[in-house]
Amino acid sequence: MVLTAFDVGGSDEDFDLLVVDEAHRLNQRANQPSGPLNKKFRDITVKLFGEDDTSKTQLDWIAAKSNHQIFLLDAGQSVRPADVPAEHLHQLVATAKSTDRYSGLASQMRVRAGADYVDYIRNMLGGPVEIELAPDFGEYDLRMFDDIAEMREEIRKRDAEVGLARLVAGFAWEWKTKYDKDAYDIVIDDVHLRWNGTQTDWIASPLSLEEVGSIHTVQGYDLNYAGVIIGPDLRFDVDTNRIVFHRSSYFDKKGKENNPARGLTYSDDDLLRYVTNIYTVLLTRGIRGTYVYVSDPALRTHLSGLMLASS
């Protein structure tokens, strides 16, 4: 049986065991996608704990409704401020370790680039990086492109060869086609692209090869080749030698929304963590290869140097 956190929290039954996949995407008390869900979040918390305690998260719901839990989680894949706070996940891990109930993932099985690939990508996006000896990624096809049209053409070729090759991007462009189907969302040079036309199983949808997937359509999916467009929401500050977040170029409203329910506001540095998490997820979807186009010229130069060091 597959249940949402709302299903679990609102159930009249308790559970012996719950296996929680993508536990890092459980929510804290924050503005939900709709008014009814905001009310439901409050009602479930009151039902379970006797009061509207805004510090309670969906992790607390799970613990209250089950005798045993298995949490599958990666704090590095939290992509919105409404997700369970990282400190809660770290505490969950610490508790599991202290009771000898923790099992770490020793290696990743998706990307055919060796065990070091995911850490390499996270370090590459994490700030100043000095690479003395880059990992050997074997035959993994990791490439940087200066021309978005060339990258799109290579993705089409890979799809014709092996299938499941798609363009994906950070949420750095408005979603104009939600309201105007004749518009284009992402315009780079002479290339005009549209966001994914469906949220449901977009990767397998008929038009997906001609569209660009967002984090919310590809997280949890595998591709053979991912063509990742890093938008102007990430830039490189040459004075501080750091990757920085550009708020006005980030268009996920829920991705930068403050949390009045808990009195929380999010700085650019706070949001930088979520946006680099998003790009880390996108850059680790490709089983056989990952192609990268970077909008900001300074960031393109910076990442090109790091990626060349890995080749």
Side-chain angles (χ1 to χ4, degrees):
M1 181 187 302
V2 178
L3 303 170
T4 69
F6 282 102
D7 293 334
V8 171
S11 175
D12 292 329
E13 299 180 11
D14 290 337
F15 303 88
D16 184 42
L17 171 66
L18 288 173
V19 180
V20 186
D21 194 15
E22 305 274 344
H24 46 271
R25 295 306 319 275
L26 292 173
N27 273 199
Q28 61 176 303
R29 181 67 173 272
N31 190 26
Q32 299 296 308
S34 69
L37 284 181
N38 281 324
K39 181 178 184 302
K40 194 170 185 179
F41 203 114
R42 181 174 59 251
D43 291 347
I44 289 173
T45 300
V46 171
K47 174 185 175 182
L48 294 179
F49 306 107
E51 61 177 326
D52 184 18
D53 183 348
T54 58
S55 71
K56 298 297 186 183
T57 73
Q58 290 179 337
L59 273 177
D60 297 303
W61 296 0
I62 300 296
K65 294 295 293 182
S66 58
N67 296 321
H68 306 282
Q69 309 87 31
I70 298 175
F71 294 103
L72 309 177
L73 62 87
D74 177 1
Q77 293 193 43
S78 292
V79 299
R80 279 178 168 172
D83 292 348
V84 171
E87 57 267 26
H88 290 222
L89 299 175
H90 296 328
Q91 183 57 54
L92 187 64
V93 169
T95 300
K97 287 181 175 179
S98 69
T99 56
D100 199 26
R101 296 183 178 184
Y102 172 82
S103 179
L105 185 64
S107 64
Q108 59 85 22
M109 303 295 290
R110 173 186 289 116
V111 179
R112 296 180 184 174
D116 296 328
Y117 179 78
V118 175
D119 284 342
Y120 181 81
I121 292 297
R122 284 178 172 164
N123 290 335
M124 189 173 73
L125 295 177
V129 179
E130 297 295 335
I131 298 177
E132 297 178 0
L133 183 61
D136 181 3
F137 297 144
E139 297 181 357
Y140 191 73
D141 191 1
L142 178 63
R143 291 193 240 169
M144 176 77 78
F145 288 79
D146 293 327
D147 186 331
I148 184 70
E150 182 182 346
M151 186 174 83
R152 181 176 63 167
E153 184 59 28
E154 287 299 305
I155 284 294
R156 286 172 170 169
K157 289 179 181 178
R158 300 295 86 76
D159 189 73
E161 292 169 358
V162 297
L164 285 179
R166 300 290 184 270
L167 292 176
V168 296
F171 215 147
W173 292 269
E174 290 184 78
W175 207 307
K176 298 177 181 178
T177 50
K178 280 188 175 180
Y179 310 102
D180 180 1
K181 298 302 181 184
D182 294 325
Y184 289 95
D185 301 301
I186 301 171
V187 178
I188 302 172
D189 299 328
D190 294 328
V191 175
H192 294 64
L193 301 165
R194 294 187 173 102
W195 284 117
N196 47 269
T198 179
Q199 295 282 350
T200 304
D201 199 20
W202 167 75
I203 286 172
S205 66
L207 296 178
S208 59
L209 187 60
E210 302 302 318
E211 297 175 338
V212 180
S214 73
I215 181 65
H216 305 301
T217 56
V218 301
Q219 193 169 25
Y221 280 83
D222 295 336
L223 295 167
N224 281 320
Y225 289 87
V228 181
I229 305 170
I230 299 180
D233 51 347
L234 277 193
R235 304 187 184 190
F236 190 72
D237 186 329
V238 295
D239 294 326
T240 61
N241 194 35
R242 288 188 175 276
I243 294 173
V244 296
F245 171 66
H246 199 261
R247 187 182 292 256
S248 64
S249 298
Y250 187 53
F251 291 95
D252 186 350
K253 293 180 180 179
K254 293 294 182 185
K256 57 183 177 181
E257 187 175 58
N258 291 325
N259 189 339
R262 299 197 60 210
L264 300 175
T265 58
Y266 298 102
S267 68
D268 285 356
D269 283 342
D270 292 330
L271 298 177
L272 175 64
R273 180 174 71 86
Y274 294 106
V275 173
T276 53
N277 283 353
I278 287 170
Y279 283 113
T280 297
V281 171
L282 298 179
L283 290 162
T284 54
R285 296 302 93 184
I287 297 170
R288 297 168 179 259
T290 299
Y291 301 160
V292 187
Y293 173 85
V294 182
S295 298
D296 177 56
L299 182 58
R300 187 185 312 160
T301 298
H302 172 68
L303 294 184
S304 291
L306 299 179
M307 290 179 66
L308 285 173
S310 74
S311 62

